[in-house]
Amino acid sequence: MEKQPIIKERPAYSLAEIAKYFLKLGTWGFGGPVALVGYMQRDLVEQKGWLSEEEYKEGLALAQLAPGPLAAQLGIYIGFVHYGLLGATLTGLAFVLPSFIMVVLLGMAYQLYGGLTWMQAVFYGVGAAVIGIIAMSAYKLTIKSISKFELAAMKSKWLLWLFYVIGIIITVITEREEVLLFLGCGILYMLIKAPPQWIKKPTTLPAGILISTGFWNYDSKTLQEIGWFFAKAGAFVFGSGLAIVPFLHGGVVKEFGWLTEHQFVDSVAVAMITPGPVVITVGFIGYLVAGFPGACVAALATFLPCYIFTVALAPSFKKIARNTSIKAFVDGITAAVIGALVGSVIVIGLRSIKDIPTALIAIAAVLALIYIKKLQEPYLIGAAAIIGLLIKFI
């Protein structure tokens, strides 16, 4: 008896419809990565029925396991589910493009008006609030990715807590990202918790992704530096887009000196007030460093590793997801990266909290996020901007 050919079900939506959905989500999807993945689950699984619960959960697991900003990676995976490489490409571009355009426009405005008193007053309040927001995010990431601050839980995850503390100390001392530290923590945790089979039978591993860029008549050396630096940063962002902050701070401010401390905090603030992925702040930074070509290179380099990891892993993800060695490797890296995020909050905070008003604004931001349920960051940033104006002009 002949086997009947397997007929794939036609997707409940067209490629144009899914691209349009992500274009809209990228335009007014506020609230950070957790809120954005929540919108996708509500809209695409519960309301539209375009994805099954299983497909959504697989995408979310991949987004958490592989490096890359959480919401953008889930969006790319959702595009891949029924429309393969083309779907992944279109949904990724549609999701990122609106916020990229916004940060470029904000970069233009910042260049024009950044030296004016009213703009400085706005960012006086906003910069302080951003420190509070990042501090709260670092706390949430800590209890979510490592464990709660309970003795029994901390004992069971003592090694991850050790990596976390080392990440804080190294970042505070060196004031820059230490990629080798993150890789070392990942490898060590994997070897201790779930040593892979290939240790006994070594195989050649991929060397990595090399990205070189050069656009128009701009300094190609600077663009190449931007491309490589942001590609490296994008390859080590796990879970929350804010995890990229210590990488960006170490390179942009300390290593290359592209931005001042004040400009960097303003760049993080821009990410908070725009919709879409938080990581899009790289477009704003790129614009300040090398104009529009710099913005394009920074954004492309940051999101390219995320895109490549997603489309490469998606076809065989079920097998990868069960690999305990890979999970342990990611856990080790994540603990050190979150520690680095806490360290960067300390470093940036010491420079940004200059007086009593900024300290009070930062504390108020933390308290507001704790006690006002469902408060979105853009509203908090807007309130801080008004407070900054009032303090400076009254």
Side-chain angles (χ1 to χ4, degrees):
M1 188 175 177
E2 290 185 9
K3 287 185 178 179
Q4 293 295 321
I6 298 170
I7 300 171
K8 287 187 177 180
E9 272 189 46
R10 187 181 177 83
Y13 57 91
S14 67
L15 185 57
E17 284 175 323
I18 194 69
K20 186 180 176 182
Y21 169 78
F22 277 99
L23 193 63
K24 288 180 178 178
L25 186 64
T27 304
W28 54 66
F30 288 98
V34 176
L36 290 170
V37 300
Y39 297 149
M40 292 180 211
Q41 199 271 343
R42 179 197 66 192
D43 299 338
L44 302 179
V45 179
E46 294 177 6
Q47 295 182 1
K48 296 179 184 292
W50 287 359
L51 293 177
S52 67
E53 189 71 38
E54 185 184 357
E55 287 168 334
Y56 174 83
K57 285 180 179 177
E58 283 177 6
L60 187 59
L62 173 58
Q64 290 173 320
L65 188 62
L70 183 69
Q73 198 158 12
L74 179 57
I76 292 168
Y77 182 86
I78 287 171
F80 186 89
V81 169
H82 291 133
Y83 287 100
L85 198 60
L86 181 59
T89 306
L90 285 180
T91 54
L93 286 173
F95 187 41
V96 172
L97 196 58
S99 52
F100 174 75
I101 293 169
M102 289 178 205
V103 295
V104 167
L105 293 173
L106 286 168
M108 293 167 68
Y110 190 85
Q111 294 280 46
L112 284 171
Y113 305 114
L116 299 183
T117 307
W118 67 268
M119 179 71 91
Q120 291 174 351
V122 165
F123 280 101
Y124 172 82
V126 166
V130 165
I131 301 301
I133 292 170
I134 302 175
M136 195 63 195
S137 296
Y139 168 75
K140 288 179 180 177
L141 280 171
T142 299
I143 60 174
K144 180 185 175 184
S145 301
I146 304 176
S147 78
K148 292 182 179 180
F149 288 91
E150 296 170 353
L151 191 58
M154 293 176 76
K155 274 186 177 179
S156 67
K157 298 286 183 73
W158 69 271
L159 188 55
L160 290 180
W161 278 104
L162 178 62
F163 294 158
Y164 175 82
V165 172
I166 290 171
I168 295 174
I169 293 169
I170 296 296
T171 304
V172 170
I173 292 171
T174 64
E175 299 187 1
R176 55 176 291 174
E177 85 287 352
E178 298 294 341
V179 174
L180 291 178
L181 169 68
F182 305 140
L183 285 174
C185 289
I187 292 169
L188 182 60
Y189 196 69
M190 176 182 68
L191 293 176
I192 292 170
K193 291 292 181 181
Q197 291 296 318
W198 49 259
I199 285 183
K200 295 176 182 178
K201 298 177 182 178
T203 55
T204 305
L205 297 175
I209 302 164
L210 297 177
I211 298 174
S212 59
T213 54
F215 290 104
W216 305 344
N217 296 321
Y218 287 80
D219 181 2
S220 61
K221 185 175 183 292
T222 302
L223 288 177
Q224 287 170 5
E225 286 175 343
I226 290 171
W228 171 242
F229 170 72
F230 282 98
K232 184 173 65 171
F236 284 89
V237 183
F238 285 86
S240 169
L242 284 173
I244 203 172
V245 168
F247 291 91
L248 297 185
H249 180 262
V252 169
V253 179
K254 295 294 171 186
E255 185 179 348
F256 294 103
W258 287 329
L259 301 184
T260 64
E261 199 81 44
H262 181 70
Q263 288 174 320
F264 179 77
V265 175
D266 293 348
S267 301
V268 179
V270 165
M272 300 292 179
I273 61 174
T274 50
V278 175
V279 176
I280 202 59
T281 187
V282 299
F284 183 85
I285 293 170
Y287 187 88
L288 296 188
V289 177
F292 185 66
C296 292
V297 172
L300 178 64
T302 303
F303 285 98
L304 193 58
C306 154
Y307 173 81
I308 291 172
F309 276 117
T310 304
V311 298
L313 296 177
S316 56
F317 177 65
K318 285 184 180 180
K319 183 179 178 182
I320 294 168
R322 290 193 295 267
N323 190 307
T324 54
S325 298
I326 291 175
K327 284 183 179 178
F329 177 70
V330 171
D331 286 344
I333 286 183
T334 303
V337 167
I338 295 169
L341 177 59
V342 175
S344 70
V345 172
I346 295 169
V347 171
I348 300 167
L350 289 173
R351 288 172 171 77
S352 301
I353 308 299
K354 301 173 182 177
D355 48 31
I356 292 173
T358 48
L360 291 174
I361 292 170
I363 293 167
V366 172
L367 294 175
L369 289 169
I370 293 171
Y371 293 108
I372 303 175
K373 300 299 180 185
K374 296 184 179 179
L375 175 64
Q376 293 187 351
E377 282 89 347
Y379 296 118
L380 194 56
I381 294 292
I386 293 168
I387 292 168
L389 285 167
L390 292 173
I391 289 171
K392 290 294 183 180
F393 289 105
I394 294 178

